[in-house]
Amino acid sequence: EPEVTQTPSHQVTQMGQEVILRCVPISNHLYFYWYRQILGQKVEFLVSFYNNEISEKSEIFDDQFSVERPDGSNFTLKIRSTKLEDSAMYFCASSGDYNEQFFGPGTRLTVL
Amino acid sequence: SQQGEEDPQALSIQEGENATMNCSYKTSINNLQWYRQNSGRGLVHLILIRSNEREKHSGRLRVTLDTSKKSSSLLITASRAADTASYFCVSVRTQGGSEKLVFGKGTKLTVNP
């Protein structure tokens, strides 16, 4: 069964460093999403992406964040200058046309 | 209260018992979904109920939706120890061609063997 994959599973970085989280969505899906979950808190929507552009973003998704689909398979989330409060689990998801979103296993980001 | 509040926040039952979790949401929805998450792991989609449906079954899961009360419930029958996880109610609204998921805080279910 096709699934969303994410790499790395765990990323440790120093405050102020740039990180890129990678996702490979399900191949025939058209909509792509990033969510984050700070430890012990709700899963929060960050951004949705369709047709090579952002379709919606939350207040969390400020200028430090960017997304890209550099080729036909990868979907990346970049955080330019990480802060301690960016430490969280980041989930990528993809969906077909108005169907359920399939989530990846997540990348745990730890900012020291 | 916040969007997608689950009730109870934590539930502990014995194997074989039924578990019922409730959820409320605030905005209009296209559908409502329930996800589970094992501790520190990924999110697994369980069931989707559309806004024009009132009840849906999938295996040991039964979901109800009352759009007039903006509430939903998830029933897990004949629970097993492996059902131990956090369960999230997720309201879904279609906006700008994509779907926006709003997660609740979740119910932490513990099924004791």
Side-chain angles (χ1 to χ4, degrees), chain B residues 30-66:
Chain B
N30 294 91
N31 62 70
L32 187 137
Q33 302 178 27
W34 285 87
Y35 283 78
R36 74 174 265 170
Q37 182 182 37
N38 286 21
S39 180
R41 307 282 294 277
L43 293 152
V44 176
H45 181 267
L46 293 176
I47 194 165
L48 178 156
I49 185 165
R50 302 199 183 280
S51 58
N52 61 352
E53 295 176 312
R54 292 296 165 258
E55 189 172 313
K56 198 160 185 180
H57 297 253
S58 175
R60 293 185 295 113
L61 305 180
R62 174 178 166 254
V63 169
T64 63
L65 179 64
D66 186 335

Side-chain angles (χ1 to χ4, degrees), chain A residues 4 6 9 37 43 89-92 102-108, chain B residues 35-46 85-88 103:
Chain A
V4 177
Q6 289 185 244
S9 57
Q37 184 182 31
V43 176
M89 195 79 161
Y90 288 82
F91 293 103
C92 170
F102 290 81
F103 283 78
T107 292
R108 182 172 297 283
Chain B
Y35 283 78
R36 74 174 265 170
Q37 182 182 37
N38 286 21
S39 180
R41 307 282 294 277
L43 293 152
V44 176
H45 181 267
L46 293 176
S86 290
Y87 292 81
F88 295 93
F103 282 75

Side-chain angles (χ1 to χ4, degrees), chain A residues 31 33 37 42 98 100-101, chain B residues 2 35 37 94 97 99 101:
Chain A
Y31 300 90
Y33 310 83
Q37 184 182 31
K42 287 186 186 188
Y98 299 122
E100 69 178 84
Q101 293 183 22
Chain B
Q2 295 182 23
Y35 283 78
Q37 182 182 37
T94 303
E99 291 192 332
L101 272 57

Side-chain angles (χ1 to χ4, degrees), chain A residues 28-43:
Chain A
N28 61 346
H29 281 180
L30 303 173
Y31 300 90
F32 312 110
Y33 310 83
W34 283 101
Y35 296 82
R36 80 169 186 193
Q37 184 182 31
I38 294 171
L39 187 63
Q41 297 188 25
K42 287 186 186 188
V43 176

